[in-house]
């Protein structure tokens, strides 16, 4: 997740354009902005890049998820099937709309297991929200089939898999809507930012209004616009959009580098004892931001992460103990610790997350270690890293 590694003159130029005009707002001021429309331009170029008809650039990935869920009509009491391995933002977005996250197991893809979904479905299920974690994809074709068959909305969280694809189609383009994040540590960054994409004009119109207090964005006088719905403010500033625009134009270069680094590293580890690699349904479409691998069991995984740290192999994550990416450590969710009484407390049977058991997912994440692929590595760095890792795995 390295966009920030390569800030340069391109980002500075785009930001300067905005500072020069003084128009930091993404709408209106047509004359003063001197032809600079950073958010609008980003939306056009991002749509083209990933092959979606519409894109709305917003203030964060969390905002994108909120906008997508609301636009798809997900609200009070509606159940949304989610994975226990994600960033907590996915779950917060569902809860803050008054909807109910229902956890379903993940498989060796580190994403929702399509074959487990039917266990999570009830007569209140309205949507499935798979998360393409750590740069690679869920079995999105099977998940989409399931949603189509059951008449459920499909919303993809592709925040960590910008530029990834499955069988030639970009991740985020399989569902009714797809969500992206451009926060400071994502593959490309706006500083803070996110996007929703869709091929459905009606969903796009709702998203476009909902993200800006219901404005219809018709005509050239903001004060005279009508407001078909109430919304909120999930707008991005032109400054953030400007950074993102420069970054977007570097996406292909980033992906090529990540894939190359990952390929070399994976080859170095090929004959290592004890490890196997995460299942990737379409290796061609891997965005390669992470290398994720399995140890035989939890105990060996713990030993491995400890020795990797000792050897100075940085950027390794053992998610099972991590308190913001895996369900096991989400004590605030299990206690329903909110700033104020959440809408789900009004339900007849509010969920009790402390009682949720996810044995299959525990088994997967307990054995998983992920390593960040960095753009800055040179051949020597990768070789040395490979050697250290081989040493660690041989010692287990
Ligand atoms: C980063 C991330 C988000 C949220 O994005 P923000 O821009 O930080 O709000 C949501 N889901 C996943 C899987 C993420 O990694």
């Amino acid at each position: 997740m390295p966009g920030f590694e390569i800030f340069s003159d391109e980002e500075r130029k785009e930001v300067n354009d905005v500072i020069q005009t003084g128009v930091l707002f993404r709408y209106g001021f047509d004359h003063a902005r001197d032809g600079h429309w950073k958010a609008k331009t980003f939306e056009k170029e991002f749509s083209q890049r990933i092959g979606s008809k519409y894109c709305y650039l917003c203030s964060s990935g969390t905002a994108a998820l909120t906008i997508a869920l609301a636009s798809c009509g997900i609200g009070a009491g509606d159940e949304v099937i989610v994975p226990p391995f994600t960033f907590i933002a996915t779950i917060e977005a569902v809860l803050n709309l008054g909807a109910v996250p229902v956890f379903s197991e993940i498989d060796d893809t580190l994403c929702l297991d399509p074959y487990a979904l039917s266990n999570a479905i009830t007569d209140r299920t309205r949507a499935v929200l798979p998360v393409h974690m750590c740069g690679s994809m869920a079995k999105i074709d099977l998940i989409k089939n399931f949603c189509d068959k059951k008449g459920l909305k499909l919303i993809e969280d592709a925040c960590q898999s910008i530029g990834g694809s499955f069988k030639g189609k970009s991740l985020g383009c399989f569902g009714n809507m797809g969500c992206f994040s451009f926060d400071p540590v994502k593959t490309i960054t706006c500083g803070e930012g996110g996007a929703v994409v869709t091929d459905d004009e009606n969903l796009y119109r709702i998203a476009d209004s909902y993200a800006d207090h219901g404005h219809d964005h018709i005509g050239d006088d903001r004060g005279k616009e009508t407001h078909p719905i109430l919304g909120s403010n999930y707008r991005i500033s032109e400054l953030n959009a400007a950074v993102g625009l420069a970054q977007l134009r570097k996406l292909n270069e980033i992906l090529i580098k990540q894939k190359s680094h990952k390929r070399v590293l994976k080859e170095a580890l090929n004959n290592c004892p004890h490890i196997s690699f995460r299942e990737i349904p379409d290796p061609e479409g891997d965005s390669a931001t992470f290398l994720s691998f399995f140890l035989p069991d939890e105990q060996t995984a713990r030993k491995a992460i400890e020795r990797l740290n000792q050897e100075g192999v940085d950027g390794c994550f053992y998610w099972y103990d991590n308190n913001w990416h895996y369900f096991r450590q989400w004590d605030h969710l299990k206690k329903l610790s909110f700033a104020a009484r959440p809408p789900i407390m009004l339900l007849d049977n509010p969920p009790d997350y402390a009682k949720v058991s996810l044995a299959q997912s525990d088994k997967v994440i307990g054995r998983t270690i992920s390593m960040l692929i960095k753009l800055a590595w040179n051949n020597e760095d990768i070789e040395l890293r490979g050697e250290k890792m081989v040493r660690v795995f041989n010692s287990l």
Side-chain angles (χ1 to χ4, degrees):
M1 300 179 165
F4 66 84
E5 285 186 68
I6 53 169
F7 285 146
S8 188
D9 288 346
E10 295 80 11
E11 285 78 3
R12 278 189 281 275
K13 188 228 163 242
E14 295 298 326
V15 172
N16 271 338
D17 284 349
V18 177
I19 297 287
Q20 294 266 308
T21 64
V23 182
L24 274 51
F25 196 49
R26 65 160 297 174
Y27 297 110
F29 300 93
D30 293 29
H31 183 67
R33 61 196 316 132
D34 196 22
H36 295 299
W37 298 88
K38 301 305 180 188
K40 255 188 206 171
T41 309
F42 184 103
E43 287 166 347
K44 197 164 131 234
E45 292 189 17
F46 193 65
S47 290
Q48 279 167 356
R49 172 63 180 76
I50 72 162
S52 73
K53 275 200 189 133
Y54 304 97
C55 169
Y56 184 82
L57 185 65
C58 58
S59 52
S60 70
T62 312
L65 287 158
T66 307
I67 295 166
L69 286 159
S71 301
C72 286
I74 310 300
D78 294 333
E79 292 183 359
V80 180
I81 299 178
V82 294
F85 181 46
T86 178
F87 178 46
I88 190 70
T90 318
I91 313 306
E92 289 169 335
V94 176
L95 285 167
N96 288 334
L97 284 165
V100 182
V102 174
F103 290 91
S104 187
E105 301 278 14
I106 58 166
D107 60 20
D108 282 358
T109 64
L110 305 184
C111 304
L112 275 180
D113 176 358
Y115 300 104
L117 291 174
S118 56
N119 299 326
I121 208 165
T122 75
D123 55 11
R124 285 197 303 231
T125 309
R126 294 281 310 282
V128 180
L129 207 177
V131 182
H132 302 291
M133 274 301 273
C134 302
S136 314
M137 76 283 322
K139 291 169 182 155
I140 193 65
D141 52 343
L142 299 181
I143 295 174
K144 179 163 172 40
N145 285 347
F146 178 86
C147 291
D148 289 347
K149 211 164 68 195
K150 303 285 183 186
L152 302 173
K153 291 282 195 297
L154 174 60
I155 296 161
E156 293 171 83
D157 180 336
C159 289
Q160 292 198 10
S161 299
I162 302 148
S165 61
F166 177 75
K167 297 192 175 157
K169 185 167 170 168
S170 291
L171 303 179
C173 294
F174 288 82
N176 300 85
M177 297 192 113
C179 305
F180 295 87
S181 165
F182 311 115
D183 83 16
V185 295
K186 296 304 202 273
T187 304
I188 57 171
T189 184
C190 293
E192 297 285 359
V196 266
V197 300
T198 183
D199 283 344
D200 183 321
E201 186 183 347
N202 187 43
L203 289 181
Y204 167 72
R205 279 191 197 290
I206 301 171
D208 176 73
S209 291
Y210 181 75
D212 182 22
H213 305 295
H215 273 269
D216 64 10
H217 300 139
I218 294 170
D220 56 9
D221 184 348
R222 186 168 168 86
K224 291 201 178 118
E225 287 178 21
T226 63
H227 312 95
I229 54 172
L230 290 161
S232 191
N233 176 2
Y234 296 113
R235 294 186 309 255
I236 193 159
S237 86
E238 283 286 275
L239 284 174
N240 292 94
V243 175
L245 190 55
Q247 289 260 297
L248 176 56
R249 292 169 180 164
K250 298 176 179 180
L251 177 59
N252 288 345
E253 173 199 326
I254 291 174
L255 293 172
I256 288 169
K257 226 176 220 172
Q258 286 180 168
K259 288 182 196 194
S260 157
H261 288 353
K262 183 169 173 177
R263 190 177 341 102
V264 177
L265 207 49
K266 218 171 161 179
E267 271 163 23
L269 303 179
N270 221 352
N271 295 313
C272 267
H274 305 304
I275 64 159
S276 57
F277 295 109
R278 163 199 192 167
E279 181 184 353
I280 300 181
D282 177 12
E284 292 275 303
D286 181 11
S287 75
T289 51
F290 279 95
L291 174 66
S292 297
F293 47 89
F294 301 124
L295 284 300
D297 51 52
E298 183 187 329
Q299 202 189 352
T300 320
R302 287 183 184 282
K303 223 183 277 173
I305 189 75
E306 200 186 308
R307 297 214 180 142
L308 286 166
N309 288 334
Q310 282 165 0
E311 280 276 358
V313 180
D314 63 355
C316 292
F317 298 88
Y318 182 59
W319 307 113
Y320 201 52
D321 288 344
N322 177 298
N323 67 13
W324 71 94
H325 280 296
Y326 187 59
F327 179 83
R328 189 171 89 102
Q329 303 272 33
W330 290 341
D331 293 338
H332 53 352
L333 174 68
K334 293 175 190 177
K335 290 187 217 145
L336 292 182
S337 305
F338 287 81
R341 197 157 73 116
I344 56 164
M345 293 311 286
L346 298 175
L347 297 174
D348 290 337
N349 294 303
D352 184 353
Y353 293 111
K355 292 216 174 89
V356 171
S357 139
L358 295 153
Q360 179 180 317
S361 304
D362 282 345
K363 228 169 165 179
V364 173
I365 295 297
R367 300 165 51 223
T368 304
I369 293 175
S370 300
M371 192 179 72
L372 208 56
I373 304 291
K374 292 214 175 101
L375 290 181
W377 292 342
N378 58 32
N379 292 345
E380 220 170 289
D381 295 332
I382 301 174
E383 201 178 317
L384 190 65
R385 180 170 284 262
E387 283 166 14
K388 284 180 180 174
M389 293 175 81
V390 171
R391 201 151 56 229
V392 166
F393 297 135
N394 278 326
S395 78
L396 293 172

